Amino acid sequence: MNHSQFLVSGFLRAPIYNGIGRQINQLQRVTLKFCKSHGSSQGMRNFIENNLVDFAKQNDSVVLYVKPRRHRSPVIVAEYLNGDRKWMSCHNRPSEEILKWLSLLSLQAGDTEPIRYRKHWHTDVPSIQGPWNPFTHKNPGHIIAEYPHEGLGRVFKAPQSATEKLLKIAKKRNESENKKE
Amino acid sequence: MVFLTAVNLIRSRGPDEWWRKRKIFKLAAYFYGRRRNCYSLAIRSVHRALVYATKSRQERKSDLAELWKQRITAGAAQHGIEYWQFMDGLHKNNIEINKKNLADLAAWEPASFESLAKISKDFVEKNRNK
């Protein structure tokens, strides 16, 4: 079972994408889907008729799409600069409520959904003394060593390979056959 | 002619069947083959997956403890001391750092770990002569 289906996981990080230069509106585009005839979309239709153009003028950085879909319930889909997407049902919602929700979405960033922290801390400097490496506790004498060196230049005897074992057996057998002859 | 009997033979499992099964299919989204599309196969796989998830919460604790123990053993071996001697020396000197942090020290702060290993080694040496 994939836990990213229930809860997206991520690392802790500071939301430093805003406010360093200037405040940037994080909402990228909004898609309003509604039905032209069904009663559940009446609030949405009223909103589109009366309030949509003013909202667009106030939030000029947001792209608004209006999508009429037959026999479907009204929906707002908001997409943000970090790629996240918010889906909101507007079934039987009046136009004032839709305006309020849209205003809220325009003020939010994309990462308001809770995530499962893989680590409950974050550092840019995980190690102060330097992380362990295979040469940390080794004597650095090998750097200035002059070869031929008794200790460092010793030969490691490798264990007998399978080929060598077979050759040894074959040799023994040949010798014993020669002896018989 | 109107046939009324045939209608009585249709067995409806209830109006919410689609949603009931959807709950299972949502959990089986990334399963292999027919296990993500066929309900009778999916429900078995989903139940097993849930059981595994529950059991592994206990296992994760022991898995991580084993990992930390391995790392401490490796770190202590670099300084010529065994795991039990290392831990014993720390505890007898009232150093109650937990295994997670000892493993982190061994990996990220080797100098601090070396000083801890030295404490344990001195303790071992002192008690050997007794």
Side-chain angles (χ1 to χ4, degrees):
Chain A
M1 182 149 48
N2 205 333
H3 275 270
S4 64
Q5 294 172 259
F6 307 127
L7 202 61
V8 177
S9 73
F11 291 97
L12 194 65
R13 57 189 180 91
I16 58 165
Y17 43 76
N18 231 339
I20 289 185
R22 62 176 177 90
Q23 168 77 13
I24 299 171
N25 198 353
Q26 291 292 310
L27 185 60
Q28 202 177 8
R29 67 185 79 91
V30 174
T31 312
L32 301 161
K33 301 177 186 175
F34 69 105
C35 180
K36 282 184 185 170
S37 50
H38 202 270
S40 60
S41 297
Q42 194 190 42
M44 179 69 92
R45 272 177 264 133
N46 291 339
F47 172 80
I48 291 167
E49 234 177 291
N50 306 326
N51 307 341
L52 186 67
V53 182
D54 296 327
F55 180 83
K57 283 191 182 143
Q58 281 163 13
N59 308 66
D60 49 1
S61 60
V62 178
V63 182
L64 290 166
Y65 292 96
V66 165
K67 225 175 153 178
R69 298 192 301 170
R70 285 193 311 159
H71 315 312
R72 304 275 194 110
S73 176
V75 147
I76 304 174
V77 176
E79 283 169 70
Y80 290 89
L81 287 174
N82 68 341
D84 281 354
R85 172 190 269 244
K86 287 202 175 109
W87 183 97
M88 251 193 72
S89 172
C90 298
H91 187 89
N92 285 337
R93 272 198 226 266
S95 62
E96 302 88 22
E97 261 194 56
I98 293 174
L99 176 63
K100 281 188 181 172
W101 278 111
L102 257 183
S103 316
L104 177 68
L105 289 173
S106 67
L107 294 170
Q108 285 181 334
D111 58 357
T112 48
E113 284 300 305
I115 59 165
R116 175 186 72 84
Y117 286 127
R118 294 190 208 175
K119 282 190 184 143
H120 290 264
W121 47 268
H122 169 80
T123 47
D124 290 323
V125 191
S127 176
I128 293 170
Q129 297 164 5
W132 181 91
N133 60 66
F135 298 105
T136 307
H137 298 299
K138 281 212 162 79
N139 195 336
H142 65 276
I143 300 168
I144 52 166
E146 291 201 9
Y147 291 91
H149 196 271
E150 260 188 40
L152 294 167
R154 68 181 185 278
V155 173
F156 290 98
K157 208 175 173 193
Q160 224 179 27
S161 71
T163 317
E164 285 172 2
K165 281 185 190 169
L166 287 170
L167 285 171
K168 208 173 173 184
I169 294 165
K171 196 176 171 189
K172 226 183 192 181
R173 200 193 301 156
N174 285 343
E175 282 174 4
S176 68
E177 279 177 10
N178 290 346
K179 271 190 188 171
K180 278 182 192 173
E181 286 168 12
Chain B
M1 277 179 66
V2 184
F3 298 101
L4 297 170
T5 322
V7 181
N8 296 340
L9 295 171
I10 296 169
R11 226 188 72 182
S12 170
R13 292 281 190 77
D16 295 320
E17 188 185 335
W18 188 84
W19 287 278
R20 193 172 45 79
K21 292 190 174 180
R22 193 181 120 105
K23 273 199 309 190
I24 300 298
F25 283 128
K26 273 172 88 171
L27 298 176
Y30 292 94
F31 286 2
Y32 177 80
R34 286 196 294 162
R35 291 208 288 244
R36 62 174 175 269
N37 291 326
C38 303
Y39 182 74
S40 46
L41 299 174
I43 191 149
R44 283 180 236 154
S45 295
V46 164
H47 281 163
R48 289 184 76 80
L50 288 168
V51 169
Y52 289 143
T54 315
K55 280 189 190 165
S56 63
R57 266 176 248 138
Q58 276 302 110
E59 286 178 15
R60 176 173 52 206
K61 295 164 179 48
S62 54
D63 284 349
L64 282 174
E66 202 184 313
L67 175 69
W68 296 330
K69 188 178 170 184
Q70 279 180 4
R71 288 185 176 170
I72 295 167
T73 312
Q78 287 251 287
H79 302 291
I81 191 169
E82 288 180 30
Y83 171 80
W84 65 270
Q85 290 171 327
F86 176 76
M87 298 302 282
D88 194 41
L90 290 185
H91 290 322
K92 293 277 162 56
N93 282 302
N94 267 325
I95 298 170
E96 298 290 344
I97 307 177
N98 62 352
K99 291 203 272 281
K100 172 178 177 270
N101 282 305
L102 284 173
D104 284 343
L105 286 177
W108 296 105
E109 319 283 356
S112 303
F113 192 82
E114 188 175 358
S115 57
L116 289 171
K118 189 169 182 300
I119 291 171
S120 292
K121 275 207 287 194
D122 293 344
F123 182 81
V124 165
E125 278 301 313
K126 209 166 58 166
N127 286 12
R128 187 174 297 168
N129 299 333
K130 279 187 184 173

